[in-house]
Amino acid sequence: MYYFISLYILKNSLHTIPQFTPSLQSFHPSILPSPATMGKGGALSESVVKKILLSYAYVGIWIFLSFTVIVYNKFILDKKMYNWPFPISLTMIHMGFCSSLAFIIIRVFKLVEPVSMSKELYISSVLPIGALYAFSLWLSNSAYIFLSVSFIQMLKALMPVAVYSIGVLFKKEAFKSDTLFNMLSISFGVAVAAYGEAQFNAWGVFLQLSAVAFEATRLVMIQILLTSKGISLNPITSLYYVAPCCFVFLLVPWVFVEYPILKETSTFRFDFLVFGTNSLCAFALNLAVFLLVGKTSALTMNVAGVVKDWLLIAFSWSVIKDTVTPINLFGYGLAFLGVAYYNHSKLQALKAKESQKKPAAADEEAGRLLEEKNAGDGTGK
């Protein structure tokens, strides 16, 4: 597993260097950089080593922050730990904190330029995405009350299945029989893991699967409603536009579900240290996602996510003392292999797409040079 992610990081690090010949074969032990990236005696040049180390640093930061947010949320929501089982309130705190910080960064310090967005576009595109994100976070945080961290990570392995299924439904993904078989293998592995779960809770499973469905729909909707219109939001602008929507959409169920209970709990005092640091970690995680994807690729983040999941499973078993059965591990192992193959297929598709673009770009460049030569010879119009 560590070998796989090392190759992905090496590939993504070297791929951005102009002198490097992009002929890497994924998951193959004979991956070697081109002579242009080699120093004296066959050693990697200092710039390449620096880029590789930076890529590892980006991955490490993202894994650490993602790990921290998940465990921190579990600590706050679990009745056996901090005992504050109010997922809507916790999500609203996150959204309020992140939107406020994003507003300060964009409007007060003007460190990031806001995206030009009309009222119609905001209503038709951002509001639906904000609603999906709100429900995804609410249900995902709610699952921590009923399920172990390890089992939740196993259920999250269904994310590629949900994204692909919804993508096919909205005609953003092409239906392929081999991809369908891949999705079925992931689903089978997760089903085996669920069968072996010692603390199985049907309501918790329903909440987590619903969260996966909402998140997958949100990702597809981003592609349909924003990306297709040429609009790209970085984490700061995303929080600036989307987080307030999430807060408002969560406010409605909060008034009816959690507010009456919190109102009756007169002993509760807002812990600024716990909730402040928790919200800060959530905000930092958004920045880490942008850093990792921007400096490497989304595929690298997917592969790093598998490493994070295994670390969380080990942490849940060894530190939190959650029960992890051999059937759990066997089932998740099957799902892991399915996800690894899915990521590998995605990488091959991206490489094939890039290779198709290069001849077209070369022909365009040759045509431009020919036009310049003709113009210089007096033969051009």
Side-chain angles (χ1 to χ4, degrees):
M1 180 173 56
Y2 180 78
Y3 172 69
F4 286 169
I5 192 172
S6 297
L7 297 186
Y8 263 108
I9 293 172
L10 179 63
K11 188 265 179 189
N12 281 285
S13 299
L14 297 177
H15 185 69
T16 58
I17 301 175
Q19 295 89 343
F20 179 71
T21 304
S23 59
L24 296 175
Q25 299 298 321
S26 300
F27 305 129
H28 198 284
S30 62
I31 295 180
L32 292 173
S34 67
T37 63
M38 304 288 280
K40 192 173 181 179
L44 290 171
S45 68
E46 184 178 346
S47 62
V48 174
V49 172
K50 182 180 178 181
K51 191 172 287 290
I52 294 173
L53 293 177
L54 282 175
S55 297
Y56 273 111
Y58 300 142
V59 169
I61 291 170
W62 178 80
I63 289 179
F64 172 76
L65 288 172
S66 182
F67 185 99
T68 302
V69 169
I70 290 172
V71 174
Y72 212 158
N73 288 350
K74 173 68 174 176
F75 167 76
I76 292 173
L77 296 166
D78 198 302
K79 296 179 180 179
K80 298 177 183 178
M81 300 182 194
Y82 190 77
N83 191 23
W84 200 69
F86 300 103
I88 305 178
S89 301
L90 181 63
T91 308
M92 288 177 65
I93 292 171
H94 288 172
M95 292 299 99
F97 180 88
C98 290
S99 59
S100 300
L101 210 54
F103 178 85
I104 293 172
I105 292 173
I106 292 176
R107 293 299 182 185
V108 179
F109 293 108
K110 301 184 185 301
L111 298 176
V112 177
E113 287 292 328
V115 176
S116 179
M117 187 176 300
S118 65
K119 182 180 179 181
E120 291 75 17
L121 181 62
Y122 186 85
I123 294 174
S124 63
S125 300
V126 176
L127 284 183
I129 292 171
L132 291 168
Y133 195 34
F135 284 105
S136 172
L137 292 173
W138 169 20
L139 296 173
S140 181
N141 283 333
S142 298
Y144 286 110
I145 301 174
F146 305 97
L147 302 175
S148 66
V149 171
S150 58
F151 187 44
I152 286 176
Q153 299 312 121
M154 294 176 188
L155 292 176
K156 285 182 179 180
L158 288 171
M159 183 60 73
V161 180
V163 172
Y164 176 72
S165 302
I166 296 171
V168 171
L169 182 65
F170 285 95
K171 298 182 179 180
K172 299 302 293 184
E173 290 277 356
F175 178 81
K176 297 179 181 178
S177 56
D178 55 341
T179 307
L180 176 62
F181 179 77
N182 185 199
M183 298 298 103
L184 290 175
S185 67
I186 297 174
S187 302
F188 177 74
V190 174
V192 172
Y195 176 78
E197 175 60 21
Q199 300 174 358
F200 184 88
N201 183 289
W203 179 243
V205 171
F206 172 77
L207 290 172
Q208 183 55 50
L209 293 182
S210 299
V212 168
F214 276 111
E215 178 63 11
T217 307
R218 182 184 75 91
L219 294 175
V220 175
M221 287 297 104
I222 288 175
Q223 187 178 1
I224 294 173
L225 299 176
L226 293 180
T227 307
S228 61
K229 299 176 183 178
I231 298 174
S232 179
L233 300 177
N234 63 46
I236 302 297
T237 54
S238 178
L239 290 173
Y240 177 75
Y241 290 109
V242 177
C245 295
C246 292
F247 187 90
V248 173
F249 281 114
L250 290 168
L251 188 60
V252 177
W254 178 77
V255 169
F256 295 100
V257 178
E258 293 185 0
Y259 175 69
I261 302 175
L262 288 168
K263 189 177 180 181
E264 294 175 2
T265 310
S266 58
T267 56
F268 173 72
R269 294 291 181 272
F270 190 85
D271 193 329
F272 286 95
L273 178 62
V274 170
F275 294 107
T277 53
N278 179 248
S279 299
L280 190 61
C281 288
F283 182 81
L285 178 59
N286 281 276
L287 300 183
V289 170
F290 176 67
L291 186 68
L292 179 60
V293 175
K295 298 298 182 180
T296 57
S297 71
L299 207 57
T300 298
M301 190 179 77
N302 288 340
V303 178
V306 175
V307 177
K308 178 205 68 180
D309 290 343
W310 281 110
L311 290 174
L312 281 167
I313 291 171
F315 181 86
S316 177
W317 170 72
S318 60
V319 179
I320 305 179
K321 303 301 181 184
D322 288 330
T323 303
V324 180
T325 67
I327 299 178
N328 271 147
L329 295 177
F330 175 73
Y332 183 65
L334 293 176
F336 159 72
L337 292 175
V339 173
Y341 178 78
Y342 176 76
N343 288 331
H344 174 70
S345 300
K346 282 287 187 182
L347 178 61
Q348 295 302 319
L350 287 173
K351 288 171 64 178
K353 190 175 181 180
E354 288 179 3
S355 64
Q356 289 175 356
K357 288 181 180 179
K358 286 176 183 178
D363 292 341
E364 184 179 346
E365 178 67 13
R368 185 182 65 81
L369 292 174
L370 182 61
E371 287 180 2
E372 291 179 356
K373 179 178 181 300
N374 290 340
D377 294 339
T379 59
K381 290 184 180 179

